[in-house]
Amino acid sequence: MPVSKQLLDYQKVDSDLRKIELEIASSDERRKYLQARKVMKAALDRLDALDSHAAELIRMRNEIASRIEASAKGLEEYDDLDEMLEGGADVGFYKKNAQLMLDKLRSVKAELARLLSEIENVSAEYKKLMEQGRQANKQYKENKEKADKIEHSHDGEIKALQEKLAEIGKTIDPKILEHYKLKRKEGIFPVVVPLNGEFCVCGRDFPLAQQGSLAGGNMVECENCRRLVYKI
Ligand SMILES: [Zn+2]
């Protein structure tokens, strides 16, 4: 793969395009809306978890309700207590039973209190998350709009540079251009660099013995930074 003036020209124009891309990517507004998006995502995940927890609390509430219902049925037996006692029933037995039912009701009452406080906690957290989500959504919208504006303010410049690149690109071996674009996409820039003495820009040395492969303007991939190195 020989280096060419066209490829170097292409890279020069591409570096202008890259500058704009970096400016867009590093704007405060972009950073803010990406941060807000993260907060929204975290709030939604937590709301999902709260939903499962709320379902569990409902299940517990239903279970307690059915136990209270069972206790109420037990109490129905006492409707006829006067008659039963007149008929000679054992007061001690009923007293003991009543005590048991009372104990059960007390424990249900304690469980219910715990459950209610848990429901209050969940409800408070839910409200907090909704508010957080609402704020983050507002931040997201505002900053996304500003970031989009910044991005679009460069539309003309970007288009012109892309047209220029397409024009120069036509004069470059498609295989070499594709190779270049792939590296550019991977975040390597500049892609094509001249050998500086015995060294690549990253500091990796190209011993004299290896420099034969650079003869005739041939580009060799640096083993360290994967740039395409050529010798002037
Ligand atoms: Zn290198």
Side-chain angles (χ1 to χ4, degrees):
M1 278 199 304
V3 69
S4 62
K5 185 185 173 295
Q6 288 88 338
L7 184 60
L8 294 174
D9 283 349
Y10 187 95
Q11 179 165 265
K12 202 158 173 289
V13 176
D14 200 14
S15 91
D16 290 340
L17 182 61
R18 189 166 172 274
K19 259 182 222 151
I20 297 171
E21 284 173 1
L22 288 179
E23 192 188 324
I24 290 169
S26 65
S27 79
D28 255 12
E29 288 76 8
R30 187 180 146 82
R31 191 181 50 72
K32 278 183 195 158
Y33 90 71
L34 289 178
Q35 175 61 26
R37 198 167 66 180
K38 238 190 234 172
V39 172
M40 280 195 295
K41 168 96 175 57
L44 282 177
D45 285 351
R46 184 66 191 137
L47 282 172
D48 260 0
L50 280 186
D51 266 353
S52 315
H53 193 49
E56 172 65 9
L57 292 177
I58 287 170
R59 194 195 60 74
M60 284 162 76
R61 186 202 64 191
N62 291 344
E63 197 248 343
I64 288 177
S66 67
R67 270 155 61 196
I68 289 174
E69 204 180 314
S71 296
K73 275 217 176 95
L75 282 171
E76 278 172 17
E77 281 181 35
Y78 289 74
D79 283 352
D80 308 323
L81 189 59
D82 286 344
E83 273 173 43
M84 289 191 283
L85 290 180
E86 273 169 26
D90 177 6
V91 181
F93 171 77
Y94 285 103
K95 214 177 154 184
K96 210 171 129 193
N97 250 4
Q99 187 59 50
L100 273 174
M101 271 190 270
L102 194 63
D103 288 346
K104 264 191 205 166
L105 278 172
R106 273 195 188 124
S107 104
V108 170
K109 201 178 149 194
E111 267 185 65
L112 203 57
R114 272 201 301 275
L115 192 63
L116 286 176
S117 117
E118 184 74 28
I119 287 171
E120 263 171 35
N121 286 344
V122 168
S123 165
E125 194 183 346
Y126 191 88
K127 269 188 205 150
K128 204 176 119 198
L129 283 169
M130 290 299 280
E131 179 55 23
Q132 255 178 23
R134 203 183 62 77
Q135 292 281 357
N137 190 33
K138 196 170 156 241
Q139 280 274 317
Y140 176 85
K141 274 190 186 157
E142 279 173 12
N143 287 291
K144 176 87 169 67
E145 212 172 287
K146 283 183 197 163
D148 284 351
K149 243 183 215 164
I150 292 172
E151 195 174 333
H152 287 313
S153 72
H154 293 289
D155 279 355
E157 267 175 288
I158 290 174
K159 195 166 170 272
L161 289 170
Q162 280 170 341
E163 278 168 4
K164 214 164 163 185
L165 285 175
E167 200 57 42
I168 304 171
K170 281 182 205 159
T171 64
I172 300 169
D173 179 342
K175 264 192 190 160
I176 294 178
L177 189 57
E178 201 179 314
H179 201 65
Y180 172 96
K181 282 182 180 171
L182 200 71
K183 289 191 176 293
R184 160 80 147 99
K185 218 174 164 183
E186 287 171 12
I188 296 171
F189 204 90
V191 177
V192 186
V193 292
L195 189 70
N196 182 13
E198 277 181 41
F199 301 95
C200 170
V201 284
C202 73
R204 170 64 64 95
D205 66 324
F206 276 64
L208 280 173
Q210 257 184 38
Q211 289 187 25
S213 54
L214 294 163
N218 193 45
M219 297 185 288
V220 173
E221 188 173 306
C222 171
E223 283 173 16
N224 184 47
C225 68
R226 302 184 48 229
R227 286 185 167 88
L228 303 174
V229 180
Y230 67 95
K231 198 175 170 183
I232 302 170

